[in-house]
Amino acid sequence: MKLLYILGHPVAHSLSPAMQNAALRALGLDYEYRIMPVSPEDLEKRINELKDLSVAGFNVTIPHKIAVLPLLDELDETASVVGAVNTVVNSGSHLRGYNTDSPASTRVLREAYGDLAGCRVVILGAGGAARAVASGLAPCAEWIIVLARDEAKAESLARDVMGRTGVEIRGGDIGGAGKILSSADILVNATPVGMSPHWGVSPIEADILHPGLLVFDLVYNPERTQLLRDAESAGARTIGGITMLVYQGTEAFRLWTGREAPEALMMRAARNALGGVVA
Ligand code: NAP
């Protein structure tokens, strides 16, 4: 049997085991996807252990997506551009890192928005997910503005992605969202604000949302966050985070197994597992 893992801290409530194991079973593949809680201090030791031949690969999640970079043997091009890894393939003890969050977020937005050429985007947050979304949109956006509670982090992300992609990206304070949003097409929440158990909280004031916006909340628990509820009330279109979760998972599945993932089944498994988490 081949083993797959998700490394994180905390990671117990991840939906990925339910989603990936359902897909592996459906295709009759002799793999098992397991949770591996790993603290930052133990990351290097665990990564070396995962070079074992029984391990096909692993996902990395909060807080290891950037820290894992120097521990890998090679990065694929998207992971290099994003500067973060969420999926690793082990081939004969050689670890190659990928970022499947970035194409997953672009795919979700393209399906909901249509042609993304010239889109104007505001991203809230300046962590790994914001970096993945900004890098994915950079080749087609007119401009991207990254807003974070720590303005210096937003500016640093903007400089970094702009340096790698050439698109106009600026950073700023999250408190300045009102003025900027009026000329934006897409708003992305890449902070954990609104995540269970803090259901009633939104990262921005409801009155700055407008009907011309597509609002994409990366938070998937709950499926309809306060930000999405506020956006619907303002007449904006909305997308929750679960579709991106499934899309990043289907791409990881293909990298590990070489097989196309059963996407609809993975979506059902993730939703069922989310029901269990919420209950
Ligand atoms: P991260 O690297 O820890 O970054 C989080 C960002 O949010 C940082 O800029 C952080 O600011 C900011 N933040 C945290 N708490 C905040 C608050 N109370 N108010 C304002 N800003 C706050 O995390 P990440 O990996 O980017 O993930 C961000 C969110 O996206 C999480 O909820 C995660 O579950 C979700 N996500 C979803 C998917 C999906 O497939 N749907 C994929 C990836 C991530 P500081 O740096 O100042 O702390």
Side-chain angles (χ1 to χ4, degrees), residues 62 65 125-129 149 153 190-193 195 218 220 241 244-245:
I62 290 178
K65 287 184 181 179
R149 61 180 174 184
K153 283 188 188 169
T191 78
V193 178
M195 194 161 74
L218 266 56
Y220 52 79
M244 174 175 163
L245 180 83

Side-chain angles (χ1 to χ4, degrees), residues 44-63:
E44 184 166 1
K45 184 166 164 266
R46 289 279 177 250
I47 295 285
N48 285 328
E49 290 167 4
L50 290 169
K51 291 190 171 187
D52 191 275
L53 293 181
S54 64
V55 177
F58 49 95
N59 281 134
V60 283
T61 187
I62 290 178

Side-chain angles (χ1 to χ4, degrees), residues 101-240:
D101 282 337
S102 185
S105 63
T106 311
R107 181 179 163 201
V108 167
L109 283 169
R110 189 169 289 122
E111 285 174 358
Y113 185 83
D115 183 3
L116 293 165
C119 63
R120 297 162 299 175
V121 185
V122 174
I123 299 175
L124 307 177
R131 188 172 281 273
V133 175
S135 305
L137 289 176
C140 44
E142 181 183 335
W143 52 253
I144 299 172
I145 296 180
V146 180
L147 301 176
R149 61 180 174 184
D150 182 341
E151 195 172 346
K153 283 188 188 169
E155 281 168 357
S156 157
L157 187 158
R159 267 196 309 277
D160 205 13
V161 177
M162 185 155 72
R164 293 170 203 232
T165 61
V167 73
E168 184 193 342
I169 304 188
R170 283 189 288 127
D173 186 285
I174 210 162
K179 215 169 156 193
I180 294 161
L181 264 193
S182 59
S183 54
D185 306 305
I186 296 173
L187 170 67
V188 181
N189 176 35
T191 78
V193 178
M195 194 161 74
S196 172
H198 305 290
W199 287 324
V201 190
S202 167
I204 52 163
E205 300 298 324
D207 60 6
I208 60 176
L209 297 165
H210 59 82
L213 275 178
L214 173 66
V215 179
F216 177 22
D217 197 338
L218 266 56
V219 171
Y220 52 79
N221 181 14
E223 272 200 84
R224 280 184 76 237
T225 58
Q226 186 62 45
L227 170 64
L228 296 183
R229 287 170 194 271
D230 291 345
E232 281 163 18
S233 300
R237 288 183 298 145
T238 61
I239 329 168

